[in-house]
Amino acid sequence: MATTQPVLSNAPRGMDLLDRPILNKGTAFTEDERSRFGLHGLLPPHIEALNRQVVRAYEAYKRKDDDLERHIYLRSLQDTNEVLFYRLLLDHIVEMTPMVYTPVVAQACQQFSHIYRRPRGLFISYPLRDSISTLLRSRRNPEVDVIVVTDGERILGIGDQGAGGLGIPIGKLSLYTLVGGIRPERTLPIVLDVGTNNAERLNDPEYLGWRHERITGQEYFDFVDQFVQAVKQELPETCLQWEDFATPHARPILQRYRDELLTFNDDIQGTSAVALGAILSAIKVTGKNLKDQQIVMFGAGSAGIGVADGLRTALKEDGLSEQEARSHFWAIDRDGLLHSGRRDLSPEQSIYAQAQDRLSGWPRSAKGEIGLAEVIGKIDATVLIGLSTVGGAFLEPIVREMARKVQRPIIFPLSNPTDKSEAKADDLIRWTDGRALVATGSPFAPVSYGGRTIPIAQCNNVYIFPAMGLGVIASGARRVTDAMMQAAAEALALNSPALKDSSASLLPFLTDIRRVAAEIAVAVGIQAQKDGVAPGFAEHELRERVRQTQWTPAYSSIADP
Ligand code: NAI
């Protein structure tokens, strides 16, 4: 059953058993188990149920007085008793998710060498490049469903952390288990330690990574290839998720391997999918169709184009031709509106170039550019998305003009971190008299307006990647296609709380996220079948497989050695 610990026929005894975090029950070992496994004397005599252990663990957690200490406590618990760790997390999901993942995991990566306690996952260092298969075979558990791998170069907003970047795969895989229900012993965090260019780390006498500047160029890509080939050989059916690689590496790696194994890059694909899901849910809340929207994309870089591509696909699914779908976009980058008269656009941007004849007589700057204010002034924009990294770009007159022409303007300042957000959530609510549907990239507190408290949805990847992992495992998918990402975004939108209560958050509550993950996983599995990358199951069978795969922390009996 999916709700139990693994039953090992050669279960260890005594301290060896207590030292296995996935088998250890601590004070919950029964009288009978204590006798059979030689545990009497090693444990205090009173036997506790899991829920009592959770109360005690929560008390200990509460005694910690800063976030890093809370993180260290939770990580130690994870390395001691995984069932208890996940039960505690599930019971306090809103409070503890930020402690095991963002934002506190950033500190944990910076301080990795100083707070290091016990090994978890694998360090694959460049000097050991000729024995990667051997390193993979040293993993603690033989069966692996999901690997999260980083090279530590672009950790969250804090840059190069070298080997300390391993904190991210550890944290992220905790969410794969917490939300997606991927069994903890079937996850494997990995850091590709190719050195670091972070002088602070290199000069720190306690730094635990390989003390060398980063390997670059062909040597770097050859090393990544050695790693991928070893994974294909040792763990051919495992989902390999790339995490926090610098952009110049992330895209080529994804392009090179996405048709070769079951793999995706959450920074590229997951972030677009969650933003797309939130936009689609906001459109549903307005009661209008996607076809009715005039979409302004402010910032036509990798994220902006990714989100626009997803919306364009959805428009075509609604019956529009390619040309009709393109005409709904007004994309603005650093030199103004993209239009067919411009010769400086990349091929991806050219797709969103507006026909020049629609722009005759439009006001332009001295340089001939058409800016955001002009676009908003000329069209009836219904959706405004910021992925530009230009903090404060959504100025009050622009927002007021948009809100003058549309009842429920959809305005998403998605750039991170907070100081790069194109607007503050409370300003958007005030400038639109509480009518705007807002989601952001960075977290914003709920806004009080007109006697209401308006929650602000944060486009956080946690809505997508654990569900994607669950979906590919349960469906037996061999690849992650773009259409599977699109299906995840659309399923997320269908599960928006705002569809039932228009003043609720656009994205699901954390307390409901496991249920939503299962729904998304089913949608992903159905799409995988349509794309011919998963075996055919009827929907009810797929649903059952998702249910069986989604592990819930609970103790089970352990077989005799
Ligand atoms: P990027 O650098 O590829 O794209 C930024 C684009 O904005 C570039 O094309 C740039 O030329 C353009 N830009 C710069 N100044 C501008 C101006 N004054 N007016 C109009 N456009 C301007 O970066 P990427 O990866 O696309 O990320 C953009 C932002 O979006 C980042 O802050 C990132 O953290 C955030 N992001 C948020 C997501 C979410 O769901 N919350 C998802 C992905 C990215």
Side-chain angles (χ1 to χ4, degrees):
M1 255 315 283
T3 54
T4 57
Q5 287 169 289
V7 176
L8 297 188
S9 54
N10 55 349
R13 293 176 54 81
M15 277 311 293
D16 288 344
L17 177 55
L18 300 182
D19 281 342
R20 293 280 294 275
I22 191 61
L23 296 175
N24 184 24
K25 303 180 187 182
T27 52
F29 275 115
T30 63
E31 196 64 39
D32 176 54
E33 286 166 336
R34 291 172 187 223
S35 301
R36 282 192 293 140
F37 299 111
L39 298 172
H40 283 300
L42 295 176
L43 294 167
H46 182 70
I47 295 169
E48 283 182 310
L50 179 57
N51 60 354
R52 287 308 315 165
Q53 289 181 306
V54 168
V55 171
R56 198 153 39 76
Y58 188 57
E59 268 176 34
Y61 171 86
K62 281 299 208 194
R63 276 197 291 274
K64 306 293 169 195
D65 34 47
D66 70 50
D67 286 348
L68 187 60
E69 287 300 324
R70 290 180 193 106
H71 175 91
I72 293 169
Y73 172 76
L74 291 172
R75 280 282 300 104
S76 303
L77 185 60
Q78 182 177 27
D79 287 341
T80 311
N81 179 335
E82 290 194 275
V83 169
L84 177 54
F85 169 74
Y86 284 110
R87 190 69 256 168
L88 178 68
L89 246 58
L90 258 188
D91 289 357
H92 302 277
I93 192 165
V94 175
E95 182 178 357
M96 293 187 179
T97 302
M99 299 299 149
V100 290
Y101 199 57
T102 53
V104 181
V105 72
Q107 282 179 63
C109 290
Q110 284 170 319
Q111 298 294 323
F112 184 85
S113 300
H114 296 265
I115 65 173
Y116 181 79
R117 300 287 196 276
R118 298 184 63 169
R120 173 167 284 263
L122 291 177
F123 294 86
I124 299 188
S125 308
Y126 188 76
L128 298 176
R129 62 191 170 282
D130 292 327
S131 44
I132 298 180
S133 292
T134 314
L135 302 188
L136 282 177
R137 282 197 289 273
S138 306
R139 64 189 181 270
R140 180 173 214 152
N141 297 302
E143 308 290 334
V144 180
D145 288 329
V146 186
I147 292 172
V148 175
V149 63
T150 187
D151 71 354
E153 186 167 7
R154 204 226 58 177
I155 296 300
L156 305 169
I158 54 168
D160 184 356
Q161 298 301 323
L166 183 63
I168 295 291
I170 291 174
K172 205 138 193 180
L173 283 165
S174 300
L175 299 189
Y176 267 97
T177 299
L178 182 69
V179 176
I182 312 306
R183 300 190 70 113
E185 76 279 14
R186 297 177 71 104
T187 65
L188 182 59
I190 297 181
V191 62
L192 298 179
D193 185 6
V194 291
T196 177
N197 295 341
N198 183 331
E200 211 182 316
R201 298 290 157 270
L202 288 172
N203 294 329
D204 179 352
E206 286 179 45
Y207 179 62
L208 292 171
W210 181 45
R211 286 161 186 273
H212 196 283
E213 64 192 31
R214 278 185 177 273
I215 298 300
T216 55
Q218 199 51 46
E219 280 176 320
Y220 173 87
F221 284 108
D222 287 348
F223 178 64
V224 170
D225 193 54
Q226 278 174 294
F227 167 68
V228 172
Q229 300 316 322
V231 169
K232 279 171 69 179
Q233 188 189 324
E234 296 297 325
L235 294 162
E237 280 158 26
T238 298
C239 178
L240 177 64
Q241 192 226 286
W242 306 91
E243 180 67 28
D244 283 358
F245 284 71
T247 309
H249 292 151
R251 286 190 179 273
I253 288 174
L254 180 64
Q255 285 316 323
R256 173 150 180 204
Y257 298 110
R258 62 176 307 172
D259 296 327
E260 232 179 85
L261 69 164
L262 180 63
T263 195
F264 72 101
N265 180 310
D266 189 54
D267 306 306
I268 297 172
Q269 297 163 285
T271 41
S272 287
V274 68
L276 179 62
I279 297 166
L280 293 175
S281 69
I283 293 170
K284 286 182 201 298
V285 171
T286 65
K288 299 265 169 47
N289 294 317
L290 183 53
K291 286 191 260 197
D292 304 325
Q293 309 302 317
Q294 294 295 323
I295 301 160
V296 178
M297 303 293 311
F298 186 73
S302 20
I305 295 289
V307 171
D309 286 348
L311 285 167
R312 185 163 53 95
T313 302
L315 279 163
K316 288 191 284 183
E317 282 169 3
D318 276 4
L320 264 55
S321 71
E322 174 67 32
Q323 277 317 316
E324 285 168 342
R326 290 181 183 195
S327 70
H328 284 252
F329 292 91
W330 304 83
I332 300 162
D333 206 66
R334 91 177 51 245
D335 298 320
L337 181 70
L338 313 189
H339 61 75
S340 55
R342 286 179 59 174
R343 295 285 159 265
D344 57 339
L345 306 181
S346 68
E348 303 80 43
Q349 288 179 326
S350 302
I351 294 173
Y352 299 100
Q354 272 289 342
Q356 225 182 344
D357 54 11
R358 290 180 86 180
L359 312 174
S360 61
W362 281 37
R364 293 175 187 241
S365 72
K367 281 159 72 188
E369 293 164 4
I370 300 172
L372 177 62
E374 288 74 41
V375 172
I376 297 291
K378 288 303 256 184
I379 68 166
D380 291 352
T382 55
V383 180
L384 171 58
I385 308 297
L387 285 162
S388 66
T389 70
V390 184
F394 295 171
L395 298 169
E396 181 172 350
I398 294 176
V399 173
R400 285 195 182 277
E401 172 65 4
M402 181 178 176
R404 190 178 65 77
K405 295 189 273 190
V406 49
Q407 180 53 30
R408 303 241 36 204
I410 297 169
I411 309 180
F412 284 16
L414 291 179
S415 289
N416 292 314
T418 313
D419 64 342
K420 299 217 163 117
S421 185
E422 285 81 1
K424 293 197 187 103
D426 57 342
D427 285 340
L428 292 176
I429 299 293
R430 275 191 299 110
W431 298 338
T432 61
D433 310 320
R435 288 180 287 125
L437 289 161
V438 178
T440 54
S442 300
F444 281 91
V447 178
S448 298
Y449 186 85
R452 285 189 298 149
T453 301
I454 303 170
I456 305 297
Q458 187 200 352
C459 290
N460 188 319
N461 300 26
V462 73
Y463 290 108
I464 296 290
F465 67 82
M468 183 56 66
L470 179 60
V472 296
I473 294 162
S475 69
R478 296 177 299 278
R479 298 286 181 272
V480 178
T481 63
D482 285 340
M484 286 158 70
M485 281 286 167
Q486 184 87 12
E490 290 172 9
L492 176 62
L494 286 175
N495 282 280
S496 166
L499 298 185
K500 292 195 183 116
D501 167 4
S502 66
S503 58
S505 175
L506 288 172
L507 289 167
F509 308 113
L510 275 180
T511 45
D512 193 30
I513 196 168
R514 279 173 68 94
R515 182 194 65 76
V516 175
E519 291 298 324
I520 295 174
V522 171
V524 163
I526 291 172
Q527 188 62 47
Q529 293 182 20
K530 284 188 193 154
D531 291 349
V533 298
F537 296 112
E539 184 175 334
H540 71 272
E541 260 180 289
L542 192 57
R543 228 165 241 292
E544 181 54 22
R545 288 174 70 93
V546 167
R547 200 186 66 75
Q548 290 274 344
T549 306
Q550 201 175 31
W551 178 85
T552 303
Y555 292 130
S556 64
S557 58
I558 299 174
D560 276 314

